[in-house]
PDB file of all heavy atoms in Angstrom:
ATOM      1  N   VAL A 105      33.770 165.918   4.784  1.00  0.00           N
ATOM      2  CA  VAL A 105      34.900 164.994   4.717  1.00  0.00           C
ATOM      3  C   VAL A 105      34.452 163.599   5.144  1.00  0.00           C
ATOM      4  O   VAL A 105      34.090 163.397   6.302  1.00  0.00           O
ATOM      5  CB  VAL A 105      36.060 165.473   5.620  1.00  0.00           C
ATOM      6  CG1 VAL A 105      37.252 164.530   5.489  1.00  0.00           C
ATOM      7  CG2 VAL A 105      36.439 166.900   5.279  1.00  0.00           C
ATOM      8  N   PRO A 106      34.443 162.618   4.244  1.00  0.00           N
ATOM      9  CA  PRO A 106      34.115 161.245   4.644  1.00  0.00           C
ATOM     10  C   PRO A 106      35.122 160.728   5.668  1.00  0.00           C
ATOM     11  O   PRO A 106      36.311 161.063   5.631  1.00  0.00           O
ATOM     12  CB  PRO A 106      34.206 160.453   3.330  1.00  0.00           C
ATOM     13  CG  PRO A 106      34.061 161.483   2.247  1.00  0.00           C
ATOM     14  CD  PRO A 106      34.683 162.732   2.789  1.00  0.00           C
ATOM     15  N   GLY A 107      34.635 159.912   6.593  1.00  0.00           N
ATOM     16  CA  GLY A 107      35.498 159.377   7.630  1.00  0.00           C
ATOM     17  C   GLY A 107      36.763 158.716   7.114  1.00  0.00           C
ATOM     18  O   GLY A 107      37.856 158.964   7.644  1.00  0.00           O
ATOM     19  N   PRO A 108      36.679 157.866   6.079  1.00  0.00           N
ATOM     20  CA  PRO A 108      37.903 157.216   5.581  1.00  0.00           C
ATOM     21  C   PRO A 108      38.957 158.195   5.085  1.00  0.00           C
ATOM     22  O   PRO A 108      40.153 157.914   5.163  1.00  0.00           O
ATOM     23  CB  PRO A 108      37.382 156.335   4.442  1.00  0.00           C
ATOM     24  CG  PRO A 108      35.959 156.041   4.804  1.00  0.00           C
ATOM     25  CD  PRO A 108      35.455 157.304   5.449  1.00  0.00           C
ATOM     26  N   VAL A 109      38.528 159.368   4.574  1.00  0.00           N
ATOM     27  CA  VAL A 109      39.494 160.368   4.106  1.00  0.00           C
ATOM     28  C   VAL A 109      40.271 160.933   5.287  1.00  0.00           C
ATOM     29  O   VAL A 109      41.501 161.087   5.246  1.00  0.00           O
ATOM     30  CB  VAL A 109      38.773 161.490   3.344  1.00  0.00           C
ATOM     31  CG1 VAL A 109      39.747 162.616   3.005  1.00  0.00           C
ATOM     32  CG2 VAL A 109      38.136 160.944   2.074  1.00  0.00           C
ATOM     33  N   LEU A 110      39.568 161.232   6.389  1.00  0.00           N
ATOM     34  CA  LEU A 110      40.224 161.756   7.575  1.00  0.00           C
ATOM     35  C   LEU A 110      41.144 160.705   8.185  1.00  0.00           C
ATOM     36  O   LEU A 110      42.206 161.028   8.717  1.00  0.00           O
ATOM     37  CB  LEU A 110      39.176 162.199   8.598  1.00  0.00           C
ATOM     38  CG  LEU A 110      39.680 163.013   9.787  1.00  0.00           C
ATOM     39  CD1 LEU A 110      40.287 164.327   9.330  1.00  0.00           C
ATOM     40  CD2 LEU A 110      38.556 163.261  10.774  1.00  0.00           C
ATOM     41  N   GLN A 111      40.740 159.448   8.090  1.00  0.00           N
ATOM     42  CA  GLN A 111      41.568 158.371   8.630  1.00  0.00           C
ATOM     43  C   GLN A 111      42.810 158.142   7.775  1.00  0.00           C
ATOM     44  O   GLN A 111      43.900 157.867   8.291  1.00  0.00           O
ATOM     45  CB  GLN A 111      40.754 157.081   8.719  1.00  0.00           C
ATOM     46  CG  GLN A 111      41.516 155.931   9.345  1.00  0.00           C
ATOM     47  CD  GLN A 111      40.795 154.616   9.190  1.00  0.00           C
ATOM     48  OE1 GLN A 111      39.711 154.549   8.608  1.00  0.00           O
ATOM     49  NE2 GLN A 111      41.389 153.552   9.699  1.00  0.00           N
ATOM     50  N   THR A 112      42.677 158.276   6.452  1.00  0.00           N
ATOM     51  CA  THR A 112      43.811 158.046   5.552  1.00  0.00           C
ATOM     52  C   THR A 112      44.902 159.079   5.748  1.00  0.00           C
ATOM     53  O   THR A 112      46.093 158.765   5.751  1.00  0.00           O
ATOM     54  CB  THR A 112      43.336 158.063   4.089  1.00  0.00           C
ATOM     55  OG1 THR A 112      42.361 157.033   3.914  1.00  0.00           O
ATOM     56  CG2 THR A 112      44.496 157.831   3.139  1.00  0.00           C
ATOM     57  N   GLY A 113      44.507 160.325   5.954  1.00  0.00           N
ATOM     58  CA  GLY A 113      45.464 161.368   6.272  1.00  0.00           C
ATOM     59  C   GLY A 113      46.166 161.966   5.077  1.00  0.00           C
ATOM     60  O   GLY A 113      45.724 161.842   3.930  1.00  0.00           O
TER      61      GLY A 113
END
Side-chain angles (χ1 to χ4, degrees):
V105 183
V109 173
L110 191 62
Q111 183 191 0
T112 300

